[in-house]
Amino acid sequence: MSEVSYLSAASDLSSVGTPTLWAMTIVGVILLLVLDFLVTRRPHEVSMREAIGWSAFYIALPLAFGAWIWSRYGSEQGVQYLTGYLVEKSLSVDNLFVFMLLLAAFAVPAVLAQRVLLYGIAGALVLRAVFIALGAAALQTLDFAFLLFAIILIATAVKLLRDAMSGHQQEVDINKMRSVKLLRKVMPVVDDYHGTRMTVREGAKRALTPFALVVVAVLATDIVFAVDSVPAVYGITEDPYLVFATNAFALLGLRALYFVLHAALSRLVHLSYGLAIILAFIGLKLGLHWAHGIWDSVPQIPTLASLGVIIGVLAVVTLTSLRATRGGDVPEEREVVTERH
């Protein structure tokens, strides 16, 4: 059974992911997570030099892996991987802005920020793996799975656009978060941080720390992100292995990337508009792919064309964002969040 055309026993989805490649990739991801936990075992403020160094590593690694995929399995899989990685990395930058809002809303000390982010990344990886498996199962068993994914992405795009126009994506009220309200009902919560400790003893009872609340809040947002990102990358490639690899590589570098982009995030005021366009475009691509399976005359959008559209949209919204915020003209809500952090 060749590596290129490996098919699992109960699957109609062609994948480059042999059992050996899956095992090596999962072990590699776990080792990188362990490395990140070792690096952050002693809470400290992250210097720009440290953040840039780790960011460079976590960008070079997936690009080198993409080059290997291209040379080993061909240009089609290579383009699918690189396009999927670009989509996931773009969505992860928007996720970082939400993390920034959460860290500011919970007044997380700077020395604890990277450990909070790391818990969020680890949780996101687990959730993405679950959603990727569910997505693969849906594609195998449901004739309308692509149409369902298309509806999810288009609905998400509409919500992103509406929130961007109303400014709601800039608001985080921790007192209204269901996860936080539930935890406060279950256990008492102390006011002060105690390093990275989740609980402390207060009298005869255990109490949660604000660190535990912010970690749970970040994990709760990971669920929302997974619902968006997994269908998006399935719109680029139907290979579950490539879907997992693009998600894993996009997430692993977020801890360091957060500190590199922290100041720049407040200037990317048009990013949500760009992501809305990208998600709607991928939704359209999925819808056409589903329709093509029923009517051969319905055209499909090539992956290479998708890559061009995604790069073009990201370039345009980055340039327009920088132009809109040059001279320090940043919207008030984003300035407040940055100062609080």
Side-chain angles (χ1 to χ4, degrees):
M1 192 176 289
S2 69
E3 290 186 345
V4 177
S5 61
Y6 172 79
L7 299 176
S8 64
S11 174
D12 293 325
L13 295 179
S14 178
S15 174
V16 302
T18 65
T20 300
L21 187 56
W22 270 106
M24 292 177 61
T25 304
I26 292 172
V27 170
V29 169
I30 293 173
L31 289 176
L32 288 172
L33 273 178
V34 171
L35 176 63
D36 270 354
F37 272 103
L38 290 175
V39 169
T40 62
R41 70 187 185 280
R42 294 181 179 177
H44 64 280
E45 291 193 44
V46 180
S47 67
M48 184 58 68
R49 180 178 180 180
E50 178 185 353
I52 291 176
W54 280 108
S55 294
F57 170 75
Y58 277 117
I59 291 175
L61 183 62
L63 291 180
F65 184 78
W68 179 79
I69 289 288
W70 191 302
S71 63
R72 179 68 180 83
Y73 298 109
S75 59
E76 182 178 353
Q77 282 76 16
V79 171
Q80 288 179 4
Y81 167 83
L82 291 173
T83 305
Y85 174 72
L86 183 60
V87 169
E88 290 303 310
K89 204 65 177 176
S90 304
L91 290 171
S92 70
V93 171
D94 193 50
N95 297 354
L96 282 181
F97 180 66
V98 177
F99 289 159
M100 183 177 74
L101 293 178
L102 287 171
L103 292 176
F106 282 95
V108 177
V111 294
L112 301 179
Q114 61 175 341
R115 180 51 70 96
V116 173
L117 292 170
L118 194 51
Y119 277 118
I121 292 167
L125 281 169
V126 174
L127 287 168
R128 299 290 173 88
V130 172
F131 276 82
I132 288 168
L134 292 175
L139 291 178
Q140 296 166 28
T141 58
L142 300 177
D143 294 336
F144 57 88
F146 283 112
L147 179 61
L148 178 62
F149 288 174
I151 293 172
I152 291 173
L153 291 180
I154 292 173
T156 302
V158 171
K159 184 181 183 301
L160 263 178
L161 185 60
R162 291 175 60 183
D163 287 348
M165 295 178 68
S166 63
H168 288 166
Q169 85 281 7
Q170 301 171 0
E171 301 173 1
V172 170
D173 188 346
I174 59 177
N175 294 317
K176 293 182 179 179
M177 297 186 70
R178 295 179 181 177
S179 58
V180 172
K181 289 195 294 185
L182 178 61
L183 283 178
R184 284 175 171 167
K185 289 180 180 180
V186 174
M187 292 181 67
V189 180
V190 298
D191 294 328
D192 299 324
Y193 284 87
H194 294 263
T196 58
R197 296 176 65 182
M198 297 281 191
T199 64
V200 293
R201 183 168 293 281
E202 197 173 58
K205 294 183 178 182
R206 278 278 172 184
L208 294 171
T209 66
F211 185 83
L213 294 186
V214 67
V215 168
V216 171
V218 168
L219 292 176
T221 61
D222 284 338
I223 298 175
V224 179
F225 296 153
V227 172
D228 298 340
S229 65
V230 172
V233 74
Y234 266 123
I236 303 299
T237 176
E238 299 173 34
D239 186 332
Y241 174 78
L242 293 182
V243 172
F244 176 78
T246 54
N247 272 270
F249 279 127
L251 288 169
L252 283 171
L254 286 190
R255 175 184 62 83
L257 188 63
Y258 173 86
F259 297 98
V260 174
L261 295 181
H262 184 268
L265 284 172
S266 61
R267 297 193 61 189
L268 297 178
V269 294
H270 297 158
L271 178 61
S272 292
Y273 295 99
L275 292 178
I277 294 172
I278 290 172
L279 291 178
F281 172 77
I282 298 176
L284 174 63
K285 183 177 187 295
L286 281 170
L288 291 174
H289 181 73
W290 169 80
H292 181 79
I294 301 175
W295 304 286
D296 291 339
S297 59
V298 175
Q300 296 193 82
I301 301 175
T303 304
L304 192 59
S306 301
L307 178 61
V309 170
I310 292 166
I311 292 175
V313 170
L314 291 176
V316 169
V317 297
T318 300
L319 291 174
T320 58
S321 294
L322 295 177
R323 182 170 183 175
T325 58
R326 64 182 176 184
D329 185 19
V330 181
E332 182 179 353
E333 294 90 340
R334 298 194 178 209
E335 289 179 342
V336 171
V337 169
T338 303
E339 289 168 2
R340 287 180 62 186
H341 181 71

